[in-house]
Amino acid sequence: ADFVGIIFSGRATLFRRLNSGRKARFMRIIEGDLFNAHDPGDPLQPVRMVRAATPLVALTLTLEEFQRLVVGPLGAAAVSCYVHKHLFLQRASATCAAWPPAAVAQFAELAGIASHGAGTKILVQDHDVGDIHVLYEGRASALRNGRRVGKIKPGEFFGEISLLQNSSATADVETIDDVRCLAVNRVEFIRFISRNHHVALRLERLCSERLGHPIFPLRGQSFDVR
């Protein structure tokens, strides 16, 4: 496309063509979100289709105007961070959807993007975990003692239980496709949640649901009551 749009009303879905040739849904976008701004910052995996999910009205800028009015003043790095990480976390991750916008922006700035080939183990059961990950593109499986216990889809977190408990990985995470992940290292993640208590409580709830019991159970000695 020779323009960048911002949705004025309606909703749309972005699709990508993966290295395997499979077309995959990238994320849904809503009023106020940009589209057709992904390709300049991510030429290896451009968005191949924008499909309107409802009747849609958009405001548009030519690519030249977008470069002059947006990329020029803000900088390419800031625009790329917003389009590829911030917007993705807000729209494709159910976990981040409930975070305050400032926390999403901070997490996006901390996160790097890492690529992993099909069949790669990103986490290994009973081994140390150095990063918290959010699957950005592709598919992965969680395996415990060699048996698949779940599938990980784009927008979902993994590694957070180990980092919060300061323990080893509770399962293998193995890629099904060539994948990319957003990753924040252990030190930066601990600093991040220590300054964002709302996020910490959300992640604690997510971990407890996955474990089937409270990640930090309350016991008789948990409180000193006089």
Side-chain angles (χ1 to χ4, degrees):
D2 59 358
F3 68 91
V4 173
I6 182 169
I7 297 179
F8 181 74
S9 65
R11 300 188 303 275
T13 304
L14 307 185
F15 292 85
R16 280 181 159 164
R17 183 76 64 184
L18 304 182
N19 291 336
S20 63
R22 185 174 64 87
K23 185 177 71 175
R25 189 178 74 185
F26 181 46
M27 64 178 172
R28 290 194 176 98
I29 51 176
I30 62 174
E31 294 171 7
D33 291 342
L34 292 172
F35 62 95
N36 290 344
H38 286 77
D39 293 8
D42 193 11
L44 297 179
Q45 295 286 4
V47 171
R48 296 296 188 188
M49 182 191 299
V50 180
R51 176 180 289 167
T54 67
L56 186 146
V57 176
L59 309 178
T60 64
L61 288 172
T62 66
L63 291 179
E64 292 76 12
E65 291 171 328
F66 182 71
Q67 289 287 336
R68 179 173 62 85
L69 298 174
V70 180
V71 179
L74 297 178
V79 174
S80 180
C81 180
Y82 172 76
V83 170
H84 295 287
K85 294 187 283 187
H86 187 159
L87 188 57
F88 172 81
L89 290 168
Q90 277 190 313
R91 301 292 178 245
S93 174
T95 301
C96 295
W99 293 6
V104 178
Q106 185 181 356
F107 191 87
E109 290 179 0
L110 294 173
I113 299 181
S115 299
H116 305 275
T120 300
K121 286 188 178 181
I122 303 174
L123 300 185
V124 179
Q125 185 175 348
D126 298 327
H127 284 63
D128 289 342
V129 176
D131 304 309
I132 185 170
H133 298 80
V134 184
L135 191 63
Y136 182 71
E137 187 176 82
R139 298 170 297 169
S141 293
L143 302 100
R144 186 170 295 120
N145 301 321
R147 296 183 60 186
R148 192 169 87 169
V149 293
K151 183 180 287 187
I152 302 170
K153 298 177 291 185
E156 293 184 339
F157 281 69
F158 57 96
E160 74 288 346
I161 293 175
S162 303
L163 294 188
L164 288 177
Q165 290 187 142
N166 193 28
S167 63
S168 56
T170 58
D172 293 336
V173 172
E174 185 173 321
T175 61
I176 298 172
D177 309 306
D178 291 343
V179 308
R180 291 192 292 174
C181 298
L182 302 182
V184 176
N185 71 57
R186 174 195 296 267
V187 174
E188 294 291 353
F189 172 66
I190 297 302
R191 287 175 180 164
F192 168 73
I193 61 172
S194 69
R195 297 166 183 166
N196 293 276
H197 300 153
H198 178 80
V199 171
L201 291 172
R202 289 278 180 177
L203 288 173
E204 181 184 355
R205 182 179 301 172
L206 172 67
C207 293
S208 298
E209 290 173 355
R210 289 182 173 177
L211 289 170
H213 58 78
I215 186 172
F216 301 123
L218 298 180
R219 300 184 176 89
Q221 65 272 27
S222 297
F223 296 97
D224 183 12
V225 179
R226 296 173 187 267

